[in-house]
Amino acid sequence: MRRTALFDVHTRLGAHLTTFAGWTMPLRYGSDIAEHHTVRTAAGLFDLSHMGRIEVTGRNAAEFLDYALAGRLSTVKVGRAKYTMLCHTTGGVLDDLVVYRLAADRFLVVANAANAPMVRAMLGEHANGFAVRITDAGGSLIAVQGPASAEVIATQGPASAEVIATQGPASAKAMAIESLDLPYYGITEARVAGCDVLLARTGYTGEDGFEIYCSDADAATIWESLRESGATPAGLACRDTLRLEAGMPLYGHELTVRTTPFHAGLGRIVALDKADFVGAESLRRVAAQGPSTVLTGLVTAGRRAPRSGHAVLDPVSGERIGEVTSGAPSPTLGHPIAMAYVPPVFAAPGTRLVVDVRGTREDAEVVALPFYRRSPQ
Amino acid sequence: MIPLNLRYSRDHEWLTDDEIATVGITAFAADALGDVVFVDLPEVGAVTTAGETCGEIESTKSVSEVYAPADGEIVEVNKALADDPGLINSDPYGAGWLYRVRVTRTPEVLDAAAYAALISPES
């Protein structure tokens, strides 16, 4: 099992470790529900160093990514990011990605941990005829997520002491974000805890948050500093309930090679008007015909949560019409939530469905995604 | 950590050495589950068979079956768990007990030392 540069830190913090995609990662440090609430109300600290990071550089980098991926990366401005997907020629999703443009001819592709070697290989296959270089970027990845995360990051900056001294803690947050000049889905070079990093503002929890790309040597220093600034270590368990509440798809659950972006309700990320790209023919067909099943949100009133693989039934005929892809009791909302694929005719919010929860029929109602949306700041 | 006065199953239940035994899950099992959010227990009067499932414990992350450590008839279930299933995490050997069973047969059970060996990382 591979260990991140923060493995010793996690062990010292008493983390419950789990194996995930070939890595030993913190599942939780104490209570996963408490960690979930911390991210919703303050700031949680995550080690995401297992995520795949692939650099694509070279004269043709932008047009290559336009061809290899579903989105149009060539129009992304330097310092900005785009959520996109690597699709099979059948249109099925091979991975969902965040791609940052670091320079005109330099992109950072962030892939799911389990898919990283495949993504790297597929990009290599598609690169024929393009002047690009595809390399694995090393280093560590630390995320701070939650409404207080800007404040936590802000107090890391070299000017933070003055900002707080002259403006008071209440305005430190606003001041520092301005000085960072980092919009949502932006990335910039920055210094955190005295270390040179790439600081991004993306996130996968439905909260404001930052990702810090740093060297392995600096990871523990940055982690400890953020912890001292008030961020609470949080593990993979709460990450799953957070992203589910935020309606964000997870590869292997909502996204698979059997589903296209259109099935997942993410058709808008496919730039159908590009001249040619991998999967274009299939994706244009699905876009024209409409997907046979669509991703929907379900809520149930009982206490037993629908889980991945549970059958969704038509309440009238009792027939199986779909399948749950993820489900859990929502810590924020206080009732079970789930995502499921059902035919479009059953997907309108308010539709009554039934889920077979291990042999018990639970009434479910279709709701619009996401289940949870943070209040505007 | 592992109470010496209790007996243990290989499925991580504990039970008292009484004619009417109190049954729960071990701290090791509770820890592995994460925060428990719902418990489904057998009804009073139900008959359990050692090694067979008799309930469910649901955490945020997953659902686990509860196996019976002994044959017998359920005489009481812990009603407090309906309102506060987290008792299984906070006090697995006390307030987080699951049910009481009038034992007719107990197959293989472990003492504390044997259970400690079972869950040690080397085993």
Side-chain angles (χ1 to χ4, degrees), chain A residues 28 31-33 303 307 358, chain B residues 31 35 56 58-60 82:
Chain A
R28 59 196 145 81
S31 154
D32 45 78
I33 294 178
R303 299 186 67 167
R307 303 280 182 171
R358 297 180 300 283
Chain B
D31 220 37
D35 290 331
E56 274 181 1
E58 186 150 6
S59 65
T60 44

Side-chain angles (χ1 to χ4, degrees), chain A residues 170-190:
Chain A
S171 57
K173 179 176 170 179
M175 288 286 295
I177 295 172
E178 247 174 72
S179 68
L180 276 172
D181 193 24
L182 186 61
Y184 186 55
Y185 264 66
I187 188 164
T188 183
E189 289 179 352

